[in-house]
PDB file of all heavy atoms in Angstrom:
ATOM      1  N   PRO A   1       8.000 -20.035  -2.251  1.00 64.00           N
ATOM      2  CA  PRO A   1       6.939 -19.038  -2.119  1.00 64.00           C
ATOM      3  C   PRO A   1       7.465 -17.726  -1.534  1.00 64.00           C
ATOM      4  O   PRO A   1       8.411 -17.726  -0.773  1.00 64.00           O
ATOM      5  CB  PRO A   1       5.958 -19.694  -1.159  1.00 64.00           C
ATOM      6  CG  PRO A   1       6.788 -20.616  -0.333  1.00 64.00           C
ATOM      7  CD  PRO A   1       7.887 -21.094  -1.237  1.00 64.00           C
ATOM      8  N   TRP A   2       6.822 -16.637  -1.914  1.00 65.00           N
ATOM      9  CA  TRP A   2       7.198 -15.340  -1.387  1.00 65.00           C
ATOM     10  C   TRP A   2       6.329 -15.024  -0.181  1.00 65.00           C
ATOM     11  O   TRP A   2       5.152 -15.353  -0.140  1.00 65.00           O
ATOM     12  CB  TRP A   2       7.015 -14.262  -2.456  1.00 65.00           C
ATOM     13  CG  TRP A   2       8.095 -14.355  -3.487  1.00 65.00           C
ATOM     14  CD1 TRP A   2       9.313 -13.756  -3.433  1.00 65.00           C
ATOM     15  CD2 TRP A   2       8.068 -15.106  -4.695  1.00 65.00           C
ATOM     16  NE1 TRP A   2      10.050 -14.084  -4.541  1.00 65.00           N
ATOM     17  CE2 TRP A   2       9.308 -14.913  -5.329  1.00 65.00           C
ATOM     18  CE3 TRP A   2       7.133 -15.931  -5.300  1.00 65.00           C
ATOM     19  CZ2 TRP A   2       9.629 -15.506  -6.537  1.00 65.00           C
ATOM     20  CZ3 TRP A   2       7.449 -16.522  -6.505  1.00 65.00           C
ATOM     21  CH2 TRP A   2       8.684 -16.312  -7.111  1.00 65.00           C
ATOM     22  N   VAL A   3       6.925 -14.392   0.812  1.00 65.00           N
ATOM     23  CA  VAL A   3       6.180 -14.020   2.008  1.00 65.00           C
ATOM     24  C   VAL A   3       5.189 -12.935   1.627  1.00 65.00           C
ATOM     25  O   VAL A   3       5.541 -11.934   1.023  1.00 65.00           O
ATOM     26  CB  VAL A   3       7.130 -13.521   3.120  1.00 65.00           C
ATOM     27  CG1 VAL A   3       6.340 -13.021   4.312  1.00 65.00           C
ATOM     28  CG2 VAL A   3       8.081 -14.637   3.528  1.00 65.00           C
ATOM     29  N   GLU A   4       3.950 -13.155   1.989  1.00 65.00           N
ATOM     30  CA  GLU A   4       2.880 -12.228   1.638  1.00 65.00           C
ATOM     31  C   GLU A   4       3.002 -10.966   2.469  1.00 65.00           C
ATOM     32  O   GLU A   4       3.280 -10.996   3.646  1.00 65.00           O
ATOM     33  CB  GLU A   4       1.526 -12.903   1.905  1.00 65.00           C
ATOM     34  CG  GLU A   4       0.367 -12.256   1.215  1.00 65.00           C
ATOM     35  CD  GLU A   4      -0.139 -11.013   1.890  1.00 65.00           C
ATOM     36  OE1 GLU A   4      -0.046 -10.899   3.110  1.00 65.00           O
ATOM     37  OE2 GLU A   4      -0.634 -10.129   1.173  1.00 65.00           O
ATOM     38  N   SER A   5       2.815  -9.847   1.830  1.00 74.00           N
ATOM     39  CA  SER A   5       2.768  -8.571   2.518  1.00 74.00           C
ATOM     40  C   SER A   5       1.590  -7.789   1.955  1.00 74.00           C
ATOM     41  O   SER A   5       0.983  -8.199   0.964  1.00 74.00           O
ATOM     42  CB  SER A   5       4.070  -7.799   2.296  1.00 74.00           C
ATOM     43  OG  SER A   5       4.042  -6.601   3.025  1.00 74.00           O
ATOM     44  N   ALA A   6       1.281  -6.702   2.583  1.00 87.00           N
ATOM     45  CA  ALA A   6       0.145  -5.895   2.155  1.00 87.00           C
ATOM     46  C   ALA A   6       0.417  -5.240   0.805  1.00 87.00           C
ATOM     47  O   ALA A   6       1.549  -5.133   0.358  1.00 87.00           O
ATOM     48  CB  ALA A   6      -0.141  -4.821   3.201  1.00 87.00           C
ATOM     49  N   HIS A   7      -0.657  -4.783   0.176  1.00 91.00           N
ATOM     50  CA  HIS A   7      -0.514  -4.020  -1.065  1.00 91.00           C
ATOM     51  C   HIS A   7       0.133  -2.670  -0.809  1.00 91.00           C
ATOM     52  O   HIS A   7       0.937  -2.188  -1.590  1.00 91.00           O
ATOM     53  CB  HIS A   7      -1.888  -3.791  -1.704  1.00 91.00           C
ATOM     54  CG  HIS A   7      -2.517  -5.029  -2.216  1.00 91.00           C
ATOM     55  ND1 HIS A   7      -3.666  -5.534  -1.667  1.00 91.00           N
ATOM     56  CD2 HIS A   7      -2.167  -5.879  -3.196  1.00 91.00           C
ATOM     57  CE1 HIS A   7      -4.005  -6.638  -2.320  1.00 91.00           C
ATOM     58  NE2 HIS A   7      -3.100  -6.870  -3.250  1.00 91.00           N
ATOM     59  N   LEU A   8      -0.261  -2.044   0.285  1.00 93.00           N
ATOM     60  CA  LEU A   8       0.222  -0.706   0.594  1.00 93.00           C
ATOM     61  C   LEU A   8       0.485  -0.623   2.091  1.00 93.00           C
ATOM     62  O   LEU A   8      -0.404  -0.901   2.893  1.00 93.00           O
ATOM     63  CB  LEU A   8      -0.825   0.333   0.178  1.00 93.00           C
ATOM     64  CG  LEU A   8      -0.441   1.795   0.304  1.00 93.00           C
ATOM     65  CD1 LEU A   8       0.708   2.132  -0.643  1.00 93.00           C
ATOM     66  CD2 LEU A   8      -1.638   2.683   0.001  1.00 93.00           C
ATOM     67  N   VAL A   9       1.708  -0.264   2.465  1.00 91.00           N
ATOM     68  CA  VAL A   9       2.099  -0.155   3.865  1.00 91.00           C
ATOM     69  C   VAL A   9       2.591   1.265   4.116  1.00 91.00           C
ATOM     70  O   VAL A   9       3.537   1.721   3.475  1.00 91.00           O
ATOM     71  CB  VAL A   9       3.231  -1.155   4.210  1.00 91.00           C
ATOM     72  CG1 VAL A   9       3.623  -1.033   5.676  1.00 91.00           C
ATOM     73  CG2 VAL A   9       2.808  -2.581   3.879  1.00 91.00           C
ATOM     74  N   LEU A  10       1.938   1.959   5.025  1.00 93.00           N
ATOM     75  CA  LEU A  10       2.338   3.323   5.383  1.00 93.00           C
ATOM     76  C   LEU A  10       2.915   3.296   6.792  1.00 93.00           C
ATOM     77  O   LEU A  10       2.202   3.048   7.755  1.00 93.00           O
ATOM     78  CB  LEU A  10       1.147   4.275   5.310  1.00 93.00           C
ATOM     79  CG  LEU A  10       0.437   4.362   3.959  1.00 93.00           C
ATOM     80  CD1 LEU A  10      -0.731   5.333   4.034  1.00 93.00           C
ATOM     81  CD2 LEU A  10       1.401   4.758   2.859  1.00 93.00           C
ATOM     82  N   LEU A  11       4.232   3.547   6.902  1.00 89.00           N
ATOM     83  CA  LEU A  11       4.932   3.493   8.177  1.00 89.00           C
ATOM     84  C   LEU A  11       5.356   4.866   8.686  1.00 89.00           C
ATOM     85  O   LEU A  11       5.545   5.051   9.881  1.00 89.00           O
ATOM     86  CB  LEU A  11       6.185   2.616   8.058  1.00 89.00           C
ATOM     87  CG  LEU A  11       5.964   1.181   7.597  1.00 89.00           C
ATOM     88  CD1 LEU A  11       7.304   0.489   7.382  1.00 89.00           C
ATOM     89  CD2 LEU A  11       5.119   0.419   8.588  1.00 89.00           C
ATOM     90  N   ASN A  12       5.544   5.815   7.784  1.00 91.00           N
ATOM     91  CA  ASN A  12       6.028   7.140   8.161  1.00 91.00           C
ATOM     92  C   ASN A  12       5.695   8.105   7.027  1.00 91.00           C
ATOM     93  O   ASN A  12       6.504   8.318   6.130  1.00 91.00           O
ATOM     94  CB  ASN A  12       7.537   7.091   8.420  1.00 91.00           C
ATOM     95  CG  ASN A  12       8.066   8.390   8.967  1.00 91.00           C
ATOM     96  OD1 ASN A  12       7.340   9.176   9.562  1.00 91.00           O
ATOM     97  ND2 ASN A  12       9.345   8.628   8.767  1.00 91.00           N
ATOM     98  N   VAL A  13       4.500   8.678   7.062  1.00 94.00           N
ATOM     99  CA  VAL A  13       4.047   9.519   5.961  1.00 94.00           C
ATOM    100  C   VAL A  13       3.037  10.548   6.485  1.00 94.00           C
ATOM    101  O   VAL A  13       2.340  10.293   7.472  1.00 94.00           O
ATOM    102  CB  VAL A  13       3.412   8.651   4.841  1.00 94.00           C
ATOM    103  CG1 VAL A  13       2.147   7.975   5.314  1.00 94.00           C
ATOM    104  CG2 VAL A  13       3.180   9.445   3.581  1.00 94.00           C
ATOM    105  N   GLU A  14       2.988  11.677   5.816  1.00 95.00           N
ATOM    106  CA  GLU A  14       1.937  12.645   6.123  1.00 95.00           C
ATOM    107  C   GLU A  14       1.473  13.309   4.828  1.00 95.00           C
ATOM    108  O   GLU A  14       2.227  13.431   3.871  1.00 95.00           O
ATOM    109  CB  GLU A  14       2.384  13.680   7.144  1.00 95.00           C
ATOM    110  CG  GLU A  14       3.514  14.579   6.729  1.00 95.00           C
ATOM    111  CD  GLU A  14       3.959  15.515   7.841  1.00 95.00           C
ATOM    112  OE1 GLU A  14       3.435  15.446   8.956  1.00 95.00           O
ATOM    113  OE2 GLU A  14       4.846  16.329   7.567  1.00 95.00           O
ATOM    114  N   ARG A  15       0.208  13.678   4.830  1.00 97.00           N
ATOM    115  CA  ARG A  15      -0.429  14.296   3.671  1.00 97.00           C
ATOM    116  C   ARG A  15      -0.289  13.408   2.433  1.00 97.00           C
ATOM    117  O   ARG A  15       0.429  13.725   1.489  1.00 97.00           O
ATOM    118  CB  ARG A  15       0.119  15.707   3.422  1.00 97.00           C
ATOM    119  CG  ARG A  15      -0.170  16.658   4.559  1.00 97.00           C
ATOM    120  CD  ARG A  15       0.250  18.075   4.269  1.00 97.00           C
ATOM    121  NE  ARG A  15       1.615  18.249   3.819  1.00 97.00           N
ATOM    122  CZ  ARG A  15       2.665  18.398   4.615  1.00 97.00           C
ATOM    123  NH1 ARG A  15       2.507  18.388   5.926  1.00 97.00           N
ATOM    124  NH2 ARG A  15       3.871  18.566   4.104  1.00 97.00           N
ATOM    125  N   ILE A  16      -1.028  12.307   2.448  1.00 97.00           N
ATOM    126  CA  ILE A  16      -1.002  11.375   1.320  1.00 97.00           C
ATOM    127  C   ILE A  16      -2.422  11.155   0.813  1.00 97.00           C
ATOM    128  O   ILE A  16      -3.366  11.029   1.598  1.00 97.00           O
ATOM    129  CB  ILE A  16      -0.333  10.033   1.681  1.00 97.00           C
ATOM    130  CG1 ILE A  16      -0.262   9.118   0.451  1.00 97.00           C
ATOM    131  CG2 ILE A  16      -1.008   9.343   2.845  1.00 97.00           C
ATOM    132  CD1 ILE A  16       0.640   7.915   0.619  1.00 97.00           C
ATOM    133  N   LEU A  17      -2.556  11.120  -0.508  1.00 98.00           N
ATOM    134  CA  LEU A  17      -3.828  10.843  -1.168  1.00 98.00           C
ATOM    135  C   LEU A  17      -3.686   9.523  -1.925  1.00 98.00           C
ATOM    136  O   LEU A  17      -2.804   9.387  -2.779  1.00 98.00           O
ATOM    137  CB  LEU A  17      -4.190  11.968  -2.144  1.00 98.00           C
ATOM    138  CG  LEU A  17      -5.396  11.713  -3.058  1.00 98.00           C
ATOM    139  CD1 LEU A  17      -6.674  11.554  -2.235  1.00 98.00           C
ATOM    140  CD2 LEU A  17      -5.531  12.833  -4.073  1.00 98.00           C
ATOM    141  N   ILE A  18      -4.546   8.571  -1.599  1.00 98.00           N
ATOM    142  CA  ILE A  18      -4.594   7.282  -2.281  1.00 98.00           C
ATOM    143  C   ILE A  18      -5.984   7.199  -2.895  1.00 98.00           C
ATOM    144  O   ILE A  18      -6.977   7.088  -2.175  1.00 98.00           O
ATOM    145  CB  ILE A  18      -4.352   6.116  -1.309  1.00 98.00           C
ATOM    146  CG1 ILE A  18      -2.999   6.285  -0.616  1.00 98.00           C
ATOM    147  CG2 ILE A  18      -4.414   4.783  -2.028  1.00 98.00           C
ATOM    148  CD1 ILE A  18      -3.056   6.105   0.851  1.00 98.00           C
ATOM    149  N   SER A  19      -6.075   7.302  -4.222  1.00 98.00           N
ATOM    150  CA  SER A  19      -7.384   7.406  -4.853  1.00 98.00           C
ATOM    151  C   SER A  19      -7.414   6.725  -6.219  1.00 98.00           C
ATOM    152  O   SER A  19      -6.444   6.781  -6.979  1.00 98.00           O
ATOM    153  CB  SER A  19      -7.754   8.884  -5.022  1.00 98.00           C
ATOM    154  OG  SER A  19      -9.029   9.023  -5.618  1.00 98.00           O
ATOM    155  N   GLY A  20      -8.558   6.093  -6.523  1.00 98.00           N
ATOM    156  CA  GLY A  20      -8.788   5.516  -7.844  1.00 98.00           C
ATOM    157  C   GLY A  20      -8.007   4.241  -8.119  1.00 98.00           C
ATOM    158  O   GLY A  20      -7.832   3.859  -9.268  1.00 98.00           O
ATOM    159  N   ASN A  21      -7.550   3.556  -7.080  1.00 98.00           N
ATOM    160  CA  ASN A  21      -6.727   2.358  -7.243  1.00 98.00           C
ATOM    161  C   ASN A  21      -7.560   1.093  -7.043  1.00 98.00           C
ATOM    162  O   ASN A  21      -8.604   1.115  -6.395  1.00 98.00           O
ATOM    163  CB  ASN A  21      -5.592   2.354  -6.214  1.00 98.00           C
ATOM    164  CG  ASN A  21      -4.740   3.588  -6.332  1.00 98.00           C
ATOM    165  OD1 ASN A  21      -4.000   3.740  -7.278  1.00 98.00           O
ATOM    166  ND2 ASN A  21      -4.872   4.500  -5.364  1.00 98.00           N
ATOM    167  N   ARG A  22      -7.061  -0.011  -7.590  1.00 98.00           N
ATOM    168  CA  ARG A  22      -7.633  -1.327  -7.306  1.00 98.00           C
ATOM    169  C   ARG A  22      -6.537  -2.181  -6.693  1.00 98.00           C
ATOM    170  O   ARG A  22      -5.455  -2.324  -7.261  1.00 98.00           O
ATOM    171  CB  ARG A  22      -8.167  -2.000  -8.562  1.00 98.00           C
ATOM    172  CG  ARG A  22      -8.747  -3.369  -8.233  1.00 98.00           C
ATOM    173  CD  ARG A  22      -9.426  -4.005  -9.396  1.00 98.00           C
ATOM    174  NE  ARG A  22      -9.850  -5.343  -9.022  1.00 98.00           N
ATOM    175  CZ  ARG A  22     -10.305  -6.227  -9.867  1.00 98.00           C
ATOM    176  NH1 ARG A  22     -10.426  -5.916 -11.143  1.00 98.00           N
ATOM    177  NH2 ARG A  22     -10.656  -7.417  -9.450  1.00 98.00           N
ATOM    178  N   PHE A  23      -6.822  -2.740  -5.514  1.00 95.00           N
ATOM    179  CA  PHE A  23      -5.901  -3.617  -4.794  1.00 95.00           C
ATOM    180  C   PHE A  23      -6.509  -5.013  -4.814  1.00 95.00           C
ATOM    181  O   PHE A  23      -7.602  -5.224  -4.295  1.00 95.00           O
ATOM    182  CB  PHE A  23      -5.719  -3.116  -3.362  1.00 95.00           C
ATOM    183  CG  PHE A  23      -5.188  -1.703  -3.284  1.00 95.00           C
ATOM    184  CD1 PHE A  23      -6.047  -0.628  -3.134  1.00 95.00           C
ATOM    185  CD2 PHE A  23      -3.832  -1.463  -3.377  1.00 95.00           C
ATOM    186  CE1 PHE A  23      -5.568   0.674  -3.056  1.00 95.00           C
ATOM    187  CE2 PHE A  23      -3.332  -0.160  -3.297  1.00 95.00           C
ATOM    188  CZ  PHE A  23      -4.197   0.908  -3.141  1.00 95.00           C
ATOM    189  N   ASP A  24      -5.784  -5.982  -5.392  1.00 94.00           N
ATOM    190  CA  ASP A  24      -6.368  -7.292  -5.664  1.00 94.00           C
ATOM    191  C   ASP A  24      -5.474  -8.436  -5.168  1.00 94.00           C
ATOM    192  O   ASP A  24      -4.305  -8.498  -5.524  1.00 94.00           O
ATOM    193  CB  ASP A  24      -6.575  -7.410  -7.184  1.00 94.00           C
ATOM    194  CG  ASP A  24      -7.325  -8.658  -7.593  1.00 94.00           C
ATOM    195  OD1 ASP A  24      -8.204  -9.111  -6.843  1.00 94.00           O
ATOM    196  OD2 ASP A  24      -7.017  -9.173  -8.682  1.00 94.00           O
TER     197      ASP A  24
END
């Protein structure tokens, strides 16, 4: 099995737009 991680991980970012996505 693979270790589960999040769909999206933000650790070091600025000015980001996340829009119109489906995370399942």
Side-chain angles (χ1 to χ4, degrees):
W2 286 272
V3 175
E4 198 281 329
S5 183
H7 292 114
L8 186 65
V9 180
L10 302 180
L11 303 174
N12 187 24
V13 65
E14 63 184 3
R15 297 185 308 273
I16 183 167
L17 171 63
I18 302 132
S19 181
N21 303 289
R22 180 173 175 190
F23 301 96
D24 187 33

